Amino acid sequence: MKHLLSIEDLDQEAVDGLLDRAESFAEVSKRDIKKVPALRGRTVVTLFYEASTRTSSSFELAAKRLSADVVSVKASGSSVEKGESLKDTVETLSAYDPAAIIIRHPQAGAAQMLSEWVDAAIVNAGDGMHQHPSQALLDLFALRQRIGSIEGRKIWIVGDVLHSRVARSNIQAFSMMGADVTIAGPPTLIPRGIEASGCEVRYGLEGIEEADVVYLLRMQHERMEESFVPSIREYARLFQVNSRRLNPRQLVMHPGPVNRGVEIGGDVIDSDRCLIADQVASGLAVRMAILFELLAHGGETHANAEGPVPIGEPA
Amino acid sequence: MNEVIDGLPEEGAGNGVLPAPLVQRPGPAAKVLIRGAELLDPAAGIAGARDILIEDGTVSRLADPGSLDAGDGVEVIEAEGLHVFPAFFDPHVHFRTPGQEYKEDLETGTRSAAAGGYAGVIAMANTSPPVSSPEQIEALRDRASHVASIPVGFTATVTRDMKGTELTEMAELREAGAVGFTDDGLPIASARILRRALQYQAMTGGRIALHEEDPELSGKGVMNEGIVSSELGLRGVPSISESTMIGRDAAIAGYEGGAIQIQHLSAIESIEQIRRAKLDGVDITCEVTPHHLCLTDEAVRDLDASKHKMNPPLRTESDRQALIEALIDGTIDCIATDHAPHAVHEKEVPYEAANMGVTGLETAFSSIYTELVLPGRITLELLVEKLGCGGIPFGIEPFTLAEGSRANLCLVDLEAEWVVGEDGYESRSVNSWCAGETLRGRILVTLADGQVAFRLRSFSLGVA
């Protein structure tokens, strides 16, 4: 694995390997000294063209925990605001000879373009409505920690699938790992022909009791102004997942940030069945694993290597 | 009282006599003998091996192979095994003059066309600024008379500066030499404005070419709406964006007796609209591009905007097959490239941010020959005919190889294999949808209005 651009870059074995690795890193995070020297002397650039809290902070921290030097560039307040093109910005940053560039960009394919322009390993931290592979991997990790394998499990993804890169990566990732994926939402927010990617499509929550996991997507207020839904109130009435709609064995996930009382009831967030905190915690370990696999593991996918490599002593 | 004019007048915007529709840089008249090539001119019923002698820029003799001798100063091409077709005509190219000469200009654009076997093109008016005044038409024609290596015709916009609100001075534009009218690049959103233009056209003539999409339905779409756009997370342009506008505009044209050309047809529903309008007797013609005949939205998966982002977008395999059928059954009148050059920096950006459009003049014949003729999907005769007849909607007759006609022809090696872009392009831009592809069939020489407009560098001519 040279880059992580899309879930399609991985197979089941590679995912399992990454998650095994993440488990060892989760261990490290429980130590007093949380740093390992794996990437000492190497440079990791984070390049964020969109606002982000979880993803940018956890990638940054992941790189630092691996002892890399980290340069964080945000579009606002940088030369991007002066009209510098993506290519020129990236070539400028390449002068620092980064081992990896982690990019978030509002347009699909930006990460792929970087991979064609520079030698660094490219990690897609979200490109337009296209892909967000590290999110899907951390979701898989959180699920594995809680319920083990998701093979044969039923997972419902509910909400604004149309505008969601998380949904696109997760449909692929969940299906690849053997889960049955159903997507549910108002027809205006379901992409045309999405069933071709192997998921079932529903226009309501009837039947949601079959789901082992309910994965909720953020519902943005702009969707109302764009006439995708008549009102957020009606959306919440039809699609909000709250305790009344769930039975105790069902798990709930959400990539954040949540709109309490819109797509998700506050009672669910505060309950045991909610994995949101697990997801955030998984982010750090999984992103350490991604950087480690790309930079410290000779570009080999884990599937081709021996079991987890012992992690070095604290730096 | 104003006199009532029925249909389109043969000539004259109102009263005056119109200038010649096409303009070219003057040059020496060709004196060439092409020996033993396979001639193919389906419309004139010419097929088979012949010698073809061009003197003073005119096809002076066709004769059995090996029977003609070259006179003094006549270039001889030994062409056994090669083919000669009437040169092609493209009614839809973007040459970017004035204002965007960094993408293309009249010189590079016409060179690019000549390299594709074309001896006539019609340039679109969505330049910067758009071509909305008679003075601009005159200036363009003057420029073409200095630099154009093949004859070019110019369109003017339907609405002033393409703003969609006021008509241009269509009569004066015709008198200045506009061969037709188009806001191509943008639809005419207002049905009222299009209706007025079509009413006015009864006096001025000049077909109105329409870029059909409903901006409300296209929204911010960047590719065909369908399975691929859903998986890639790219905003889609639904096929109904095109077909509903064609339905609207065909109805208006039918009601007013106007003449319209539907540009770059892409969707199956659109073909149905055209069929119905033609049955109803509407004066409607339409084009299809080589890329819509050869590619589908599956190609967009590589997110290569330079090769695969254009408007209308590449659609599905069933759309593509329907376009081929419509070309065969005559619903589609001609092949037009919509040659749309863009600079590298406008394409080397994420797919959604890239400009729309691809170049096509240099590869039109070879791409369709490779993708559709060689596998037996369409005949070579049909391809030659449909590449040649694009001028008819604008009153320009197709070129012919018949004795006594001006020499407008291309010499083609159907066996040649070449990699597109390997030796660069004649166009100033490199956003060819075929870049890097291996194609069969190559244009060796093009004669345009009696002049040698192009010869492939690796193919030299001997002088007798």
Side-chain angles (χ1 to χ4, degrees):
Chain A
M1 184 167 77
K2 170 87 167 74
H3 308 288
L4 180 62
L5 306 176
S6 161
I7 286 295
E8 286 167 325
D9 295 344
L10 304 168
D11 57 17
Q12 208 168 347
E13 268 181 298
V15 169
D16 278 329
L18 263 168
L19 299 188
D20 290 344
R21 175 89 58 199
E23 236 165 79
S24 347
F25 283 127
E27 208 110 335
V28 172
S29 297
K30 289 180 193 144
R31 298 181 192 164
D32 282 347
I33 295 171
K34 302 177 191 308
K35 224 166 168 170
V36 294
L39 302 184
R40 193 156 49 193
R42 306 181 75 180
T43 304
V44 171
V45 171
T46 69
L47 178 56
F48 274 64
Y49 283 79
E50 271 184 353
S52 161
T53 305
R54 286 162 192 70
T55 309
S56 64
S57 63
S58 77
F59 264 119
E60 205 171 310
L61 190 54
K64 286 177 174 165
R65 290 272 168 94
L66 294 169
S67 305
D69 297 323
V70 181
V71 179
S72 297
V73 179
K74 290 188 166 41
S76 57
S78 74
S79 53
V80 173
E81 279 190 338
K82 299 176 187 168
E84 188 173 55
S85 75
L86 178 60
K87 187 168 191 188
D88 289 332
T89 301
V90 166
E91 286 190 346
T92 301
L93 294 169
S94 291
Y96 306 134
D97 191 23
I101 300 176
I102 297 156
I103 179 169
R104 167 167 292 185
H105 197 278
Q107 285 153 345
Q112 182 188 316
M113 301 199 83
L114 260 60
S115 74
E116 290 156 14
W117 291 336
V118 297
D119 292 332
I122 304 300
V123 179
N124 183 3
D127 62 331
M129 304 185 295
H130 179 217
Q131 280 278 324
H132 192 356
S134 67
Q135 177 72 43
L137 289 167
L138 72 87
D139 290 335
L140 288 173
F141 186 73
L143 277 171
R144 183 162 108 165
Q145 301 285 84
R146 182 67 76 101
I147 59 174
S149 166
I150 60 167
E151 174 106 41
R153 302 278 192 165
K154 292 187 188 315
I155 302 180
W156 278 46
I157 298 174
V158 178
D160 182 2
V161 177
L162 183 66
H163 298 95
S164 175
R165 56 188 168 218
V166 173
R168 287 185 176 83
S169 283
N170 283 30
I171 289 169
Q172 289 173 357
F174 291 155
S175 304
M176 180 171 38
M177 300 310 282
D180 286 336
V181 180
T182 298
I183 61 174
T188 45
L189 293 173
I190 301 292
R192 191 178 174 84
I194 193 71
E195 52 280 6
S197 44
C199 53
E200 245 188 81
V201 174
R202 305 281 179 90
Y203 297 144
L205 294 185
E206 297 75 36
I208 198 168
E209 58 280 359
E210 68 163 38
D212 300 300
V213 178
V214 178
Y215 195 105
L216 300 173
L217 299 171
R218 181 177 162 77
M219 181 64 192
Q220 287 173 306
H221 280 81
E222 296 92 289
R223 304 301 170 229
M224 195 171 71
E225 286 129 46
E226 296 160 351
S227 293
F228 285 104
V229 293
S231 70
I232 293 297
R233 195 196 61 78
E234 178 162 291
Y235 177 82
R237 194 174 77 76
L238 297 173
F239 290 98
Q240 183 186 106
V241 168
N242 50 46
S243 306
R244 289 193 310 286
R245 283 195 157 124
L246 296 173
N247 60 50
R249 72 170 184 88
Q250 292 179 291
L251 299 175
V252 175
M253 302 177 81
H254 191 300
V258 300
N259 291 306
R260 230 172 238 264
V262 180
E263 69 269 5
I264 186 166
D267 51 352
V268 171
I269 298 175
D270 303 327
S271 72
D272 253 5
R273 68 170 113 235
C274 177
L275 292 186
I276 293 177
D278 306 42
Q279 289 172 273
V280 176
S282 303
L284 180 58
V286 167
R287 286 171 175 135
M288 286 174 80
I290 291 167
L291 291 174
F292 187 88
E293 286 293 323
L294 289 173
L295 303 182
H297 206 219
E300 292 283 298
T301 58
H302 190 81
N304 304 326
E306 308 269 309
V309 176
I311 289 160
E313 287 305 298
Chain B
M1 282 298 291
N2 292 338
E3 59 177 329
V4 177
I5 302 168
D6 258 336
L8 297 184
E10 282 299 305
E11 59 179 31
N15 312 311
V17 173
L18 296 183
L22 307 178
V23 187
Q24 179 188 20
R25 176 185 63 203
K31 286 199 250 180
V32 184
L33 173 60
I34 303 172
R35 271 212 190 106
E38 288 285 325
L39 272 51
L40 180 61
D41 178 356
I46 299 171
R50 299 272 199 292
D51 284 357
I52 176 167
L53 179 63
I54 292 121
E55 293 177 304
D56 299 325
T58 298
V59 178
S60 60
R61 286 199 62 194
L62 300 180
D64 288 338
S67 65
L68 292 185
D69 287 321
D72 280 350
V74 174
E75 292 182 303
V76 177
I77 304 175
E78 296 298 343
E80 206 176 318
L82 304 179
H83 281 68
V84 170
F85 309 131
F88 310 137
F89 190 98
D90 193 338
H92 190 154
V93 301
H94 296 269
F95 281 172
R96 308 301 189 199
T97 300
Q100 295 176 319
E101 289 83 354
Y102 65 96
K103 303 177 195 239
E104 195 82 285
D105 61 26
L106 296 178
E107 188 178 352
T108 58
T110 52
R111 277 210 321 257
S112 182
Y118 288 88
V121 293
I122 294 176
M124 296 296 104
N126 64 336
T127 48
S128 181
V131 182
S132 295
S133 73
E135 293 76 15
Q136 285 171 283
I137 291 282
E138 281 159 11
L140 282 167
R141 286 169 62 89
D142 181 61
R143 184 78 189 139
S145 74
H146 290 91
V147 300
S149 52
I150 65 161
V152 195
F154 295 94
T155 54
T157 61
V158 180
T159 69
R160 208 180 290 268
D161 297 323
M162 293 175 69
K163 287 187 177 146
T165 51
E166 298 165 55
L167 296 186
T168 52
E169 292 162 330
M170 290 168 63
E172 288 188 10
L173 285 161
R174 286 284 283 162
E175 285 164 11
V179 298
F181 300 94
T182 180
D183 278 9
D184 178 45
L186 295 176
I188 297 176
S190 161
R192 176 180 57 83
I193 291 289
L194 178 64
R195 182 184 177 205
R196 291 286 176 251
L198 287 168
Q199 289 174 326
Y200 206 72
Q201 182 198 48
M203 173 177 73
T204 64
R207 190 172 290 264
I208 294 178
L210 296 167
H211 167 118
E212 298 291 39
E213 67 175 314
D214 182 338
E216 291 282 322
L217 289 174
S218 291
K220 294 178 188 158
V222 295
M223 69 170 293
N224 180 49
E225 178 178 283
I227 291 170
V228 181
S229 68
S230 291
E231 289 184 11
L232 291 177
L234 292 173
R235 286 188 175 81
V237 176
S239 56
I240 51 170
S241 171
E242 179 178 273
S243 61
T244 56
M245 282 294 268
I246 294 174
R248 184 198 82 171
D249 293 350
I252 298 170
Y255 185 83
E256 295 297 350
I260 57 174
Q261 162 108 329
I262 305 300
Q263 302 180 302
H264 43 51
L265 214 60
S266 71
I268 204 164
E269 297 89 343
S270 304
I271 299 166
E272 287 313 310
Q273 295 287 354
I274 304 272
R275 279 207 181 102
R276 201 167 310 148
K278 285 191 166 180
L279 279 176
D280 291 346
V282 179
D283 187 352
I284 187 170
T285 52
C286 66
E287 318 159 352
V288 66
T289 70
H291 48 272
H292 287 105
L293 288 171
C294 296
L295 293 180
T296 69
D297 60 356
E298 289 292 330
V300 181
R301 286 188 190 277
D302 68 6
L303 294 174
D304 185 345
S306 187
K307 290 178 72 173
H308 299 141
K309 186 176 181 189
M310 66 289 279
N311 191 16
L314 299 170
R315 302 220 188 253
T316 66
E317 179 63 12
S318 52
D319 292 300
R320 186 177 84 93
Q321 290 301 334
L323 290 170
I324 296 168
E325 284 306 317
L327 189 70
I328 293 169
D329 73 21
T331 305
I332 293 176
D333 297 89
C334 63
I335 297 167
T337 63
D338 190 8
H339 178 83
H342 288 295
V344 169
H345 71 264
E346 296 165 323
K347 283 292 199 177
E348 209 173 44
V349 292
Y351 191 87
E352 288 157 89
N355 283 8
M356 303 217 195
V358 289
T359 59
L361 283 167
E362 290 167 55
T363 54
F365 174 81
S366 307
S367 59
I368 303 173
Y369 179 71
T370 304
E371 293 295 327
L372 300 183
V373 175
L374 282 178
R377 188 72 176 85
I378 66 170
T379 62
L380 181 61
E381 286 78 5
L382 184 76
L383 176 57
V384 169
E385 185 198 330
K386 293 293 184 179
L387 283 170
C389 63
I392 295 175
F394 299 92
I396 298 160
E397 284 305 308
F399 304 125
T400 172
L401 302 178
E403 278 181 5
S405 51
R406 291 296 286 168
N408 288 287
L409 57 84
C410 52
L411 178 68
V412 182
D413 182 356
L414 291 182
E415 302 301 319
E417 234 179 38
W418 58 296
V419 178
V420 177
E422 207 175 41
D423 304 325
Y425 299 90
E426 297 295 331
S427 169
R428 180 161 291 147
S429 292
V430 300
N431 56 312
S432 163
W433 66 272
C434 298
E437 307 292 328
T438 301
L439 298 182
R440 277 275 298 280
R442 186 140 206 205
I443 312 294
L444 303 176
V445 176
T446 303
L447 269 61
D449 197 28
Q451 302 178 33
V452 176
F454 169 76
R455 48 185 102 184
L456 191 66
R457 270 185 294 263
S458 57
F459 183 80
S460 57
L461 301 180
V463 178

